[in-house]
Amino acid sequence: MACQPARSLHARAARHAALNMIAKAGKKDACAALIVGHGLIGGSLRARLREVAELPVVCIGRRHRELPNYRALDLASETGRAALDKVVADLHPRCVVLAHGPSDVTWIDQNEAAAAAVHCGVAAIVARSAAPAVVISTDNVFSGTRGGCRPGDPAEPANGYGRVKARAESIALAGEAALVLRVSLVYGWHRPGQRATFAQRCLEAAAEGRPVDAPTDQLFTPIHVRDVSVVTAAVCRSGGQLTGIKHLAGPSELSRYEFARLAYRLAGADTTLVRPCLRQETEWACRPRFSSLTCGTFSGLPGLAKWRPMTPEEGLREMLATWPTGRASPQSRGQRPWQEAASLAARRAGEL
């Protein structure tokens, strides 16, 4: 038998693995939710959908993981995107959520074409499928000259990440039933091996008594990842009830400096360890001054009649109450009582 090209063999193997994953997910009429991306948002959303137990969940991620109905695909490659196309076509998902990377704003500013190939390529696959889709997007599609942006405001990206995501939004919205869900800075606990969120970095530095530099001239409306997953899960369960563009953000606009000081205070650490600076002096130099959004209403979605986004203080307290095991914490250093934070987290969990 003649040797086949390596690319052909890899593509065949990817298609075979995708079909096996679909078979394990259940019958087609189960109408699974397909999550593309298993980072901070994708991982939280997968857990949320499995909690409500109304939809089977299939998840695509970049790294190999031993999880049910999970598949590792390299979406930066044509082979990986072809395999995703096959998954979407054969699964007939009830909803597809695009929460994948790359999302490192600084890296994308230097590798815009590579990032566009992934984000725009994946958006095109989903748009062609006509499956209801949710595209997790960003406040970076705006110029950043003012805060509190609304969906009807013109998209005028000031950096590569914003330009790439704005193009992906347009491609997805050209499909039959897409919702673009723009989020402001999302925070929460990342799994080991993934890039830590700003809140995580602040709390860990506070627990260790380390200083942190935080810009006073970059403002956002931070939203806890749990709120993002709760709303996105409700959109998935609604089966395409919402389309167009919606904004999902926290209720307060504050600077990175103010947010960091709040994290240190709640952790019982010395707030003077948070050192003010300008964003041009930091890794956030390519971010706009304002990265804040005005949050929309989602009360018409299943289970969200009384939902509201957590305040920054509530979200940070929830992080403190759910501190990952194996890491030095303010509790282990005797910096603060944790009963209040744990009680708050329990009350929030009971409301949703």
Side-chain angles (χ1 to χ4, degrees), residues 64-246:
H64 177 74
R65 301 181 190 280
E66 294 296 334
L67 296 172
N69 299 329
Y70 175 90
R71 176 75 200 287
L73 290 179
D74 178 12
L75 298 178
S77 70
E78 292 183 6
T79 299
R81 293 194 293 273
L84 175 63
D85 199 356
K86 183 67 172 174
V87 170
V88 174
D90 289 340
L91 187 61
H92 297 292
R94 179 174 178 176
C95 180
V96 182
V97 179
L98 303 187
H100 60 88
S103 58
D104 185 318
V105 180
T106 303
W107 183 88
I108 291 175
D109 235 32
Q110 301 167 356
N111 300 272
E112 190 170 335
V118 181
H119 285 285
C120 298
V122 170
I125 290 170
V126 176
R128 287 195 303 268
S129 77
V134 181
V135 179
I136 305 297
S137 193
T138 175
D139 49 61
N140 279 246
V141 300
F142 296 111
S143 65
T145 55
R146 64 176 180 84
C149 291
R150 300 176 182 274
D153 293 335
E156 299 173 336
N159 57 32
Y161 182 49
R163 287 188 291 271
V164 167
K165 293 298 286 187
R167 287 173 56 193
E169 287 183 4
S170 297
I171 293 168
L173 289 171
E176 292 189 6
L179 170 68
V180 168
L181 196 59
R182 293 174 180 151
V183 296
S184 190
L185 182 125
V186 181
Y187 64 98
W189 292 112
H190 247 314
R191 289 179 299 277
Q194 295 183 331
R195 187 160 48 96
T197 66
F198 182 62
Q200 177 177 336
R201 290 163 60 179
C202 290
L203 289 176
E204 290 179 339
E208 297 169 9
R210 291 186 286 108
V212 67
D213 295 326
T216 57
D217 63 343
Q218 210 246 328
L219 294 90
F220 47 60
T221 41
I223 185 160
H224 194 283
V225 66
R226 176 175 175 148
D227 283 327
V228 178
S229 63
V230 164
V231 171
T232 308
V235 173
C236 289
R237 293 162 62 198
S238 74
Q241 177 180 327
L242 280 183
T243 58
I245 302 174
K246 295 280 281 185

